[in-house]
Amino acid sequence: VSFAHYAKRLMNEDQVTTIFGCYTSSSRKAVLPIVERLNGLLWYPTVYEGFEYSSNVIYTGAAPNQNSVVLCRYLMDTYGKRFFFVGSDYIYPRTSNRIMHELLRGNGGEVVGEIYLSLRARREHFTTVIRRILDASPDVIFSTVVGDSTIYLYQAYAEAGINPKCMPIASLTTSEAEILAMGCDVGNGHITAAPYFQSIEGTQNNAFVNAFRSRYGANEVTNMCMESAYFQVYVFARALAQVGSMETDVLREMVLGSSFDAPQGTVAIDANSGHTDLWTRIGRANRAGRSRATADPATSGSRRGCRPGRRAARALLRIPRIARDAPEPDAAFGQRAQRELGDQEGAGGVGTEEVVLLGHVPPHRRRHGGPVRLLVALGKAFEGDGGHVLVGPLRPDVEAEPGGHAEADDA
């Protein structure tokens, strides 16, 4: 309630039109109705679960098609097909785990256990969790635990003497900041999928890290959320300088479609979805507390936006009816989708079970003046009146940046 209260106060009493903030999905969803009703612009910097679109939000954190798909493939290829899920008990972990469930099921993997703990869970609770994990004997522990619980999970793991070379913890949220807090020796060997790591080589990141350390101390670390919050302010400032107006409708149009040379590499705000084309990387933490990107070019250093390449698209398209908990599309849209997909199937395309429907946009949240796009088959997009969107951006022309590994078919 407090998030909604403060958002309303900022916009009504203080006449704020642009808000940078929210960390958890719960806080974002509390603020979102206020921002939409008062026509503000929320800049959300955190990795999140997808299934959402709002013309009043600029999303600069990774969505599932930018991290979960490649992480699942990497873990199954490297460690095995048996996963144990541990998560905090709120929106992001449960939805992220549902997506990972479907990715595993569609690719011959299995979930051998699943536990959710309160955001206020104590350290001793994770000793019990580790015992259950050992009893299940998975190949990988997939963690969507956040906050202090992240530290407790990894410390309980280390105290149990488990070898991360054989059964690592893999996460979408464990950053350099959490590793520093838990102890670099505790975090050593574990896996994170993220657009940004402090160890990335490049002029922009070197300048970013050096400036941060100069201001806050040589031992402080940068991380994915910090980098996202950092570049979104620059995107905002540049758009503001160009239009000279804080009016949301004017400012947003300048932001959408813009790009910026961020510490992670060049990023772009997709004009259709308000999400950001980001770099997909998988890193393994070392004893210095730094995550080093893996050497696998299929999973390291490629920018992923709206259209998954053929390999990523195949993984996504094997997710059967992933939107089963989302509101049903209207009948006209469903009939049209059936017709289009039927035509594709008859021509050697995919069947209706392979459609990726990752989220529904209610009519009051659709962008004014045009329909929202639905991504189907191998990256083919068509206009649909039902307002369905993919979990990430919808821009088709992603190319590799210098020094990256992306190819036109794989970006």
Side-chain angles (χ1 to χ4, degrees):
V1 177
S2 61
F3 288 101
H5 169 76
Y6 286 120
K8 187 181 294 184
R9 191 175 79 176
L10 282 170
M11 298 190 73
N12 278 334
E13 298 180 18
D14 301 325
Q15 299 299 299
V16 168
T17 57
T18 295
I19 298 174
F20 296 87
C22 298
Y23 179 75
T24 65
S25 289
S26 300
S27 63
R28 185 191 71 253
K29 287 186 178 294
V31 168
L32 184 57
I34 308 300
V35 175
E36 289 183 326
R37 185 160 60 247
L38 299 176
N39 195 30
L41 194 61
L42 173 66
W43 296 71
Y44 184 67
T46 314
V47 53
Y48 92 113
E49 69 281 356
F51 295 88
E52 184 177 289
Y53 163 83
S54 172
S55 60
N56 294 93
V57 182
I58 302 298
Y59 304 83
T60 59
N65 57 310
Q66 296 169 314
N67 52 20
S68 295
V69 173
V70 289
L71 179 61
C72 181
R73 184 176 65 209
Y74 172 78
L75 293 172
M76 291 181 71
D77 289 347
T78 308
Y79 297 100
K81 298 182 177 182
R82 292 167 52 82
F83 283 50
F84 195 107
F85 291 173
V86 184
S88 297
D89 194 6
Y90 76 106
I91 298 168
Y92 172 72
R94 286 190 176 272
T95 308
S96 295
N97 286 345
R98 182 160 67 89
I99 292 169
M100 189 64 77
H101 249 297
E102 302 291 0
L103 287 169
L104 286 168
R105 187 169 66 181
N107 290 278
E110 63 175 320
V111 178
V112 298
E114 186 167 1
I115 299 176
Y116 294 92
L117 298 96
S118 165
L119 288 167
R120 299 179 180 85
R122 298 187 300 273
R123 182 169 179 174
E124 56 266 28
H125 294 151
F126 288 91
T127 302
T128 303
V129 169
I130 293 298
R131 283 201 295 266
R132 288 185 59 179
I133 290 172
L134 290 173
D135 289 342
S137 189
D139 299 312
V140 175
I141 303 166
F142 180 61
S143 170
T144 48
V145 170
V146 301
D148 289 342
S149 296
T150 303
I151 299 168
Y152 302 151
L153 171 64
Y154 284 71
Q155 288 176 340
Y157 175 104
E159 290 167 0
I162 308 171
N163 186 353
K165 292 183 179 179
C166 303
M167 187 201 300
I169 299 174
S171 173
L172 305 173
T173 57
T174 302
S175 71
E176 292 88 344
E178 285 81 14
I179 293 172
L180 183 64
M182 70 181 66
C184 298
D185 57 330
V186 173
N188 181 44
H190 295 295
I191 308 296
T192 298
Y196 172 84
F197 297 113
Q198 181 175 297
S199 61
I200 294 170
E201 294 294 337
T203 302
Q204 296 295 333
N205 189 48
N206 290 340
F208 172 58
V209 172
N210 290 337
F212 180 79
R213 286 176 167 174
S214 176
R215 181 162 185 171
Y216 297 105
N219 294 324
E220 295 299 321
V221 294
T222 57
N223 61 70
M224 67 180 95
C225 292
M226 181 187 302
E227 189 262 355
S228 175
Y230 170 83
F231 77 69
Q232 66 180 205
V233 173
Y234 276 89
V235 173
F236 159 79
R238 189 167 62 183
L240 179 60
Q242 290 173 315
V243 299
S245 172
M246 287 292 293
E247 185 179 342
T248 296
D249 292 338
V250 175
L251 185 63
R252 178 176 54 226
E253 290 308 309
M254 185 59 66
V255 170
L256 296 175
S258 65
S259 61
F260 181 73
D261 290 332
Q264 66 177 268
T266 301
V267 299
I269 310 299
D270 180 74
N272 293 298
S273 69
H275 289 67
T276 306
D277 291 354
L278 300 167
W279 290 77
T280 293
R281 293 179 170 97
I282 294 178
R284 181 181 291 105
N286 60 24
R287 290 191 178 277
R290 306 292 182 265
S291 291
R292 297 286 179 180
T294 65
D296 180 4
T299 59
S300 176
S302 58
R303 196 176 76 188
R304 295 188 182 270
C306 70
R307 186 187 66 169
R310 292 193 179 105
R311 283 179 294 188
R314 282 196 292 271
L316 278 170
L317 291 170
R318 285 195 290 269
I319 305 175
R321 298 194 181 279
I322 197 166
R324 59 183 179 275
D325 294 334
E328 290 295 322
D330 58 74
F333 177 83
Q335 292 168 3
R336 182 180 173 191
Q338 292 282 351
R339 288 197 303 272
E340 290 222 18
L341 290 165
D343 293 342
Q344 290 182 36
E345 191 171 63
V350 299
T352 55
E353 278 294 305
E354 295 177 301
V355 184
V356 184
L357 301 179
L358 301 182
H360 179 76
V361 183
H364 71 280
R365 289 192 184 174
R366 296 176 196 164
R367 181 186 307 283
H368 298 296
V372 182
R373 304 178 75 186
L374 166 67
L375 194 70
V376 298
L378 295 178
K380 182 195 173 199
F382 67 89
E383 301 294 325
D385 297 328
H388 287 76
V389 295
L390 186 67
V391 287
L394 298 170
R395 187 167 69 87
D397 56 336
V398 179
E399 298 176 354
E401 295 296 320
H405 300 283
E407 298 174 359
D409 287 337
D410 295 321

